[in-house]
Amino acid sequence: MQVFFLITLAHLIEHMAQAWELWVMNWARPDCLGLLGLLSPWLMKSEWLHYGYALFMLIGLWALRPYIKSGKAYFWWSVALWFQFYHHIEHALLLGQKLFGVNFFNSPVPRRRVIILAPLFPSNR
């Protein structure tokens, strides 16, 4: 559980660094790659990294669920597990688009956000 927590915390810190780069340092959005991205920009742009982390989170939430015994903690852990299952499917679809060179919904680029629900949102978002 502690290893899972530390890896999840590192991921959160990466997103906080990206927000800092975007909102405080006024960098262009494609340049906001977080701390790891400063060292290895190619890694942060890799769909394999994002898919791997989504899979890690799904497996971790599923494997640790039996240790959350009952009550509100069990309920919210289960909610997190279901959200992560959806998130994992999205990253699997994004990785599939990248591997097969086919973009859903005739998009000129792979959809990065809410891929499954993309047709419900305007294309200018």
Side-chain angles (χ1 to χ4, degrees), residues 47-81:
E47 196 54 50
W48 280 107
L49 174 73
H50 294 93
Y51 176 76
Y53 184 75
L55 184 60
F56 169 79
M57 287 296 294
L58 180 62
I59 291 169
L61 287 167
W62 175 76
L64 295 171
R65 189 172 180 228
Y67 301 102
I68 309 298
K69 300 297 183 193
S70 64
K72 288 182 181 180
Y74 184 81
F75 171 79
W76 288 112
W77 194 275
S78 299
V79 169
L81 177 61

Side-chain angles (χ1 to χ4, degrees), residues 24-62:
V24 177
M25 299 179 75
N26 292 318
W27 291 4
R29 191 173 298 267
D31 297 332
C32 300
L33 300 176
L35 302 172
L36 189 58
L38 293 174
L39 300 173
S40 301
W42 64 270
L43 184 61
M44 296 310 291
K45 295 177 182 179
S46 164
E47 196 54 50
W48 280 107
L49 174 73
H50 294 93
Y51 176 76
Y53 184 75
L55 184 60
F56 169 79
M57 287 296 294
L58 180 62
I59 291 169
L61 287 167
W62 175 76

Side-chain angles (χ1 to χ4, degrees), residues 9-125:
L9 181 62
H11 183 233
L12 178 62
I13 291 169
E14 277 296 312
H15 282 293
M16 290 170 60
Q18 288 173 321
W20 180 271
E21 292 166 351
L22 180 67
W23 299 108
V24 177
M25 299 179 75
N26 292 318
W27 291 4
R29 191 173 298 267
D31 297 332
C32 300
L33 300 176
L35 302 172
L36 189 58
L38 293 174
L39 300 173
S40 301
W42 64 270
L43 184 61
M44 296 310 291
K45 295 177 182 179
S46 164
E47 196 54 50
W48 280 107
L49 174 73
H50 294 93
Y51 176 76
Y53 184 75
L55 184 60
F56 169 79
M57 287 296 294
L58 180 62
I59 291 169
L61 287 167
W62 175 76
L64 295 171
R65 189 172 180 228
Y67 301 102
I68 309 298
K69 300 297 183 193
S70 64
K72 288 182 181 180
Y74 184 81
F75 171 79
W76 288 112
W77 194 275
S78 299
V79 169
L81 177 61
W82 283 107
F83 273 108
Q84 187 57 35
F85 178 74
Y86 169 81
H87 188 233
H88 167 261
I89 297 296
E90 283 198 331
H91 278 287
L93 291 171
L94 285 167
L95 182 60
Q97 287 181 98
K98 184 80 169 176
L99 290 175
F100 296 112
V102 176
N103 297 333
F104 295 143
F105 314 116
N106 297 320
S107 173
V109 295
R111 294 300 295 244
R112 296 291 309 161
R113 297 186 179 259
V114 288
I115 184 171
I116 297 169
L117 302 175
L120 302 176
F121 296 96
S123 60
N124 61 353
R125 290 192 60 165

